[in-house]
Amino acid sequence: MRKKEATQKGLYSFDYEHDACGVGLIVHTKGTGSHLIVENGLQVLENMTHRGAESADNKTGDGAGIMVQVPHEFILLQGIAVPERGKYGTGLVFLPQEKEEEEMALTLFTELLHKEGLHLLAIRDVPVNSSILGEISQASEPTIKQVFITGGEYPQETLELKLYLLRKKFEKALLDSGIKNKRSCYIVSLSTKTIIYKGMLTSLQLRQYFPDLLHPNFTSAIALVHSRFSTNTFPTWDLAQPFRLVGHNGEINTIRGNRLWMEARESVLKSDKIGKIEDIWPIVQYGMSDSASFDNVLEFLVMAGKPLPHALAMMVPESWNDKNPISPDLKAFYEYHSMLMEPWDGPATILFSDGRYAGGLLDRNGLRPARYLITHKDVMIV
């Protein structure tokens, strides 16, 4: 039996975490990055204040965030001598405010990093504006660092996999560490392609809290934003979205079964790419929301070798019957994968990106509306 972190807090159980949120995506369909895409993404987020929630002080939000492509030029302007695009990984890391615990977490992270054959190039203090936070969000505000990691001559896809394994092994090692405030230790994202800025913020606070997002050289061709409305949940910094691949509006109503089936099949999973899968157990991180669990499994499938659209189709099959027919090939695809993966049923709108592809889908119940528009300037808005 693996040690399972407690998910009980008084009479409350994290097993019942659900979200009902707002999501938006802006992408340049020809891949041209600009600060305008980031700015427009922030405007979409700010126009979804009605989809997020905040406490009575009007300063503590349930959570808000943005996913963008790694802003290479902006990083160089910070004086960090990173190599060319795709040759390094970066991401934000939440750490405890207590200095001793912060150092313990960084030491653990560095030790695991070296075991993966990676090199810690730099650690940057992420500038934040804590003065705008409400009393509740400020009480649990983490220290936020940005890490930069290189992998010698690894090609980009190998480095991407190494960064995933590093993050999962850190999550696992954290459970048995002496760090008391484990909830404050969280790797927001770690990738050669994307980076996520998020926190226990309102939609309007995100740009104010992270000044990085306002820099004219902070550019991207993709901006995926999320405004959280946590129904029957405790807002926390780590449960803000987007997660590593998705921003999710709605609920996964089959989540208990999805989690249990995933845990049950862990011992029989095999992947030539990943190797010893037991090293990254549990695939579904304990004590997280339904959205986070969905993202965990999707990320595992992608890292094991499935293309992102393929993995999403496995997890969220479309509805079909005699009155709603689909092609024989597509029907065969869904029937085959139904033996490997049960549906993750909503109501859900899921927007996704891995830095190369971006898009959105509804679950087969279709109870979370989403609309999209493609402009004459090659920009898609969802």
Side-chain angles (χ1 to χ4, degrees), residues 253-267:
N253 286 332
T254 54
I255 190 61
R256 186 176 179 84
N258 296 135
R259 286 170 176 157
L260 290 174
W261 274 115
M262 201 64 212
E263 186 170 357
R265 65 169 65 97
E266 279 183 351
S267 61

Side-chain angles (χ1 to χ4, degrees), residues 23 30 59 88 137 167 171 174 195 205 216 236 254 283 292 312 329 368:
V23 285
K30 294 184 178 176
K59 288 185 176 181
Y88 67 96
S137 54
R167 202 194 77 234
E171 290 171 2
L174 195 61
I195 188 167
Q205 285 176 338
T236 61
T254 54
I283 291 168
L312 282 161
D329 285 349
R368 280 287 184 270

Side-chain angles (χ1 to χ4, degrees), residues 25 247 312 349-353 358-362 370 372 380 382:
L25 172 69
L312 282 161
T349 297
I350 295 169
L351 302 187
F352 58 87
S353 179
L361 57 85
L362 301 180
Y372 75 94
M380 181 177 75
V382 187

Side-chain angles (χ1 to χ4, degrees), residues 225-265:
V225 295
H226 187 278
S227 175
R228 187 168 189 244
F229 192 117
S230 53
T231 52
N232 305 316
T233 62
F234 287 119
T236 61
W237 282 79
D238 55 340
L239 290 181
Q241 296 190 45
F243 290 110
R244 286 79 183 217
L245 288 175
V246 303
H248 169 222
N249 166 30
E251 300 177 354
I252 303 295
N253 286 332
T254 54
I255 190 61
R256 186 176 179 84
N258 296 135
R259 286 170 176 157
L260 290 174
W261 274 115
M262 201 64 212
E263 186 170 357
R265 65 169 65 97

Side-chain angles (χ1 to χ4, degrees), residues 225-331:
V225 295
H226 187 278
S227 175
R228 187 168 189 244
F229 192 117
S230 53
T231 52
N232 305 316
T233 62
F234 287 119
T236 61
W237 282 79
D238 55 340
L239 290 181
Q241 296 190 45
F243 290 110
R244 286 79 183 217
L245 288 175
V246 303
H248 169 222
N249 166 30
E251 300 177 354
I252 303 295
N253 286 332
T254 54
I255 190 61
R256 186 176 179 84
N258 296 135
R259 286 170 176 157
L260 290 174
W261 274 115
M262 201 64 212
E263 186 170 357
R265 65 169 65 97
E266 279 183 351
S267 61
V268 297
L269 291 173
K270 290 183 173 63
S271 168
D272 292 335
K273 283 188 68 178
I274 291 176
K276 293 175 63 179
I277 292 176
E278 58 267 30
D279 288 348
I280 62 170
W281 283 350
I283 291 168
V284 177
Q285 190 178 2
Y286 297 131
M288 301 295 279
S289 65
D290 55 345
S291 308
S293 297
F294 181 96
D295 186 78
N296 285 163
V297 176
L298 177 64
E299 188 180 30
F300 170 77
L301 293 173
V302 170
M303 290 299 171
K306 299 289 185 191
L308 181 57
H310 185 138
L312 282 161
M314 284 177 63
M315 295 180 67
V316 191
E318 63 182 298
S319 174
W320 57 272
N321 51 39
D322 292 339
K323 293 182 179 179
N324 180 29
I326 58 177
S327 70
D329 285 349
L330 189 56
K331 180 180 177 182

Side-chain angles (χ1 to χ4, degrees), residues 61-315:
D62 276 12
I66 184 169
M67 177 202 294
V68 295
Q69 293 171 315
V70 171
H72 183 65
E73 293 84 1
F74 171 78
I75 290 168
L76 290 172
L77 287 170
Q78 305 314 300
I80 300 165
V82 291
E84 61 185 288
R85 292 178 187 271
K87 292 292 185 180
Y88 67 96
T90 186
L92 268 55
V93 181
F94 291 164
L95 296 166
Q97 286 281 9
E98 300 81 4
K99 199 64 183 174
E100 184 179 347
E101 295 231 313
E102 177 194 325
E103 290 174 358
M104 287 173 64
L106 282 174
T107 299
L108 177 62
F109 180 77
T110 304
E111 289 173 353
L112 292 169
L113 181 145
H114 289 148
K115 287 180 182 178
E116 288 298 314
L118 301 172
H119 172 66
L120 184 60
L121 181 67
I123 299 178
R124 172 180 177 248
D125 293 326
V126 177
V128 296
N129 181 8
S130 302
S131 65
I132 66 168
L133 298 177
E135 184 179 344
I136 301 170
S137 54
Q138 199 165 57
S140 58
E141 181 188 16
T143 297
I144 305 178
K145 305 281 188 182
Q146 184 177 6
V147 294
F148 299 89
I149 298 170
T150 56
E153 296 304 312
Y154 289 133
Q156 184 173 9
E157 290 309 313
T158 302
L159 180 54
E160 191 75 17
L161 176 61
K162 288 273 187 183
L163 295 172
Y164 168 73
L165 296 175
L166 169 62
R167 202 194 77 234
K168 293 299 290 183
K169 289 176 181 179
F170 177 78
E171 290 171 2
K172 185 174 184 177
L174 195 61
L175 296 177
D176 296 312
S177 72
I179 298 170
K180 296 176 183 177
N181 194 359
K182 292 180 173 62
R183 192 89 204 195
S184 291
C185 295
Y186 179 77
I187 300 175
V188 179
S189 65
L190 197 57
S191 172
T192 63
K193 302 175 183 178
T194 60
I195 188 167
I196 295 164
Y197 285 73
K198 71 175 187 178
M200 196 170 157
L201 308 163
T202 69
S203 299
L204 297 174
Q205 285 176 338
L206 186 68
R207 72 161 73 228
Q208 302 172 57
Y209 186 75
F210 291 112
D212 284 1
L213 300 174
L214 305 181
H215 196 286
N217 290 100
F218 193 99
T219 62
S220 175
I222 297 167
L224 196 165
V225 295
H226 187 278
S227 175
R228 187 168 189 244
F229 192 117
S230 53
T231 52
N232 305 316
T233 62
F234 287 119
T236 61
W237 282 79
D238 55 340
L239 290 181
Q241 296 190 45
F243 290 110
R244 286 79 183 217
L245 288 175
V246 303
H248 169 222
N249 166 30
E251 300 177 354
I252 303 295
N253 286 332
T254 54
I255 190 61
R256 186 176 179 84
N258 296 135
R259 286 170 176 157
L260 290 174
W261 274 115
M262 201 64 212
E263 186 170 357
R265 65 169 65 97
E266 279 183 351
S267 61
V268 297
L269 291 173
K270 290 183 173 63
S271 168
D272 292 335
K273 283 188 68 178
I274 291 176
K276 293 175 63 179
I277 292 176
E278 58 267 30
D279 288 348
I280 62 170
W281 283 350
I283 291 168
V284 177
Q285 190 178 2
Y286 297 131
M288 301 295 279
S289 65
D290 55 345
S291 308
S293 297
F294 181 96
D295 186 78
N296 285 163
V297 176
L298 177 64
E299 188 180 30
F300 170 77
L301 293 173
V302 170
M303 290 299 171
K306 299 289 185 191
L308 181 57
H310 185 138
L312 282 161
M314 284 177 63
M315 295 180 67

